Amino acid sequence: MNARGFTLLEILIAMAIFTLIGLASTGLLTTVIDSNALSEERFEKLQQLQRAMITIERDIQQAVPRAVRHNGEKQEIVMTGGMREDSDAGFIGFVRSGWDNPQMMLPRSTMQPVAYRLNEGKLERNYSNYVDNVIGFEPKTRVMLENVTDFKVEFIANEATRTRSMDDDELNWSESYTGAALPRAVAIEIVSEDFGRIRREFVISGATL
């Protein structure tokens, strides 16, 4: 019985089929890898957003009526916010408590001055180890969020009234605040290229709106 091999045309056709299968498999694998990389990047940004919002919430809800010395001089202002020259958008600065110092082992208190500002598309948290620092001290900076296009802070002062009646849920929000007492509430609004507009409202010192 005569053995019959493959013709050149059959071999070429088989090679073409295997090449197409290989190209399709490579394209699918590349798509899966790219999709996985995008998912990991998105998840990392989401984690950064969650950490930032948790930190902001903790700081604002632990705000205390403690004034900070400015250039060594005593002042009465305990919270300030609005537009500032050192911020590309909104700004807020105050002192917060609850900074862990077990058994007071570290040479500092449990209070910490903090401030939030927008700088070149980055939401920054400025802080220092001491409430009253020496003249010329530069605060430390931690980037909380990137790709931020706008940062807005609003306040309801202690003497705020409702815009229509006491039964109306609409309240007077102010875009700036400077006071010797803490406001009733603070709202933070962040516009992010990755997540759009995010707004959180916080009641201060247990005040009821």
Side-chain angles (χ1 to χ4, degrees):
M1 183 177 182
N2 295 330
R4 182 176 178 274
F6 293 103
T7 65
L8 178 60
L9 179 61
E10 291 173 333
I11 294 176
L12 292 175
I13 293 175
M15 290 177 63
I17 292 174
F18 282 117
T19 300
L20 291 175
I21 294 175
L23 291 174
S25 300
T26 301
L28 179 61
L29 180 60
T30 301
T31 301
V32 171
I33 292 175
D34 292 343
S35 177
N36 184 61
L38 290 174
S39 298
E40 290 181 353
E41 181 181 357
R42 182 75 174 179
F43 182 69
E44 183 178 348
K45 290 181 178 180
L46 180 59
Q47 283 186 317
Q48 185 184 39
L49 174 64
Q50 291 175 333
R51 287 193 297 267
M53 298 309 295
I54 289 174
T55 301
I56 293 173
E57 179 179 3
R58 178 200 63 195
D59 285 345
I60 293 178
Q61 291 189 336
Q62 291 180 337
V64 293
R66 168 66 157 85
V68 178
R69 290 182 179 271
H70 181 67
N71 291 330
E73 297 182 1
K74 186 178 180 181
Q75 61 173 352
E76 302 297 328
I77 303 303
V78 300
M79 180 177 286
T80 181
M83 301 299 293
R84 285 263 297 251
E85 293 182 357
D86 56 351
S87 176
D88 296 338
F91 171 91
I92 183 173
F94 55 93
V95 175
R96 65 106 171 180
S97 64
W99 192 21
D100 290 339
N101 190 352
Q103 300 180 355
M104 301 301 292
M105 296 178 62
L106 300 176
R108 60 168 176 78
S109 71
T110 58
M111 293 189 293
Q112 181 184 46
V114 297
Y116 288 88
R117 68 174 184 175
L118 184 64
N119 183 27
E120 297 181 351
K122 298 177 181 178
L123 179 62
E124 296 180 344
R125 179 182 187 265
N126 294 336
Y127 63 97
S128 61
N129 292 337
Y130 307 102
V131 177
D132 298 315
N133 291 288
V134 298
I135 298 176
F137 173 82
E138 292 294 332
K140 301 176 183 178
T141 299
R142 174 187 173 191
V143 176
M144 304 302 298
L145 277 177
E146 298 181 351
N147 301 325
V148 177
T149 59
D150 194 17
F151 175 60
K152 185 178 180 180
V153 187
E154 294 182 337
F155 306 86
I156 297 179
N158 284 320
E159 66 276 15
T161 58
R162 297 186 182 274
T163 57
R164 297 180 182 175
S165 68
M166 294 304 293
D167 296 327
D168 197 337
D169 289 334
E170 191 173 357
L171 296 168
N172 282 324
W173 288 96
S174 173
E175 294 184 356
S176 64
Y177 182 85
T178 300
L182 294 174
R184 295 176 65 188
V186 175
I188 299 290
E189 191 169 289
I190 300 170
V191 181
S192 167
E193 294 179 0
D194 301 309
F195 300 100
R197 188 178 302 274
I198 303 168
R199 182 181 176 90
R200 292 291 306 275
E201 299 176 359
F202 308 97
V203 175
I204 305 298
S205 302
T208 302
L209 299 180

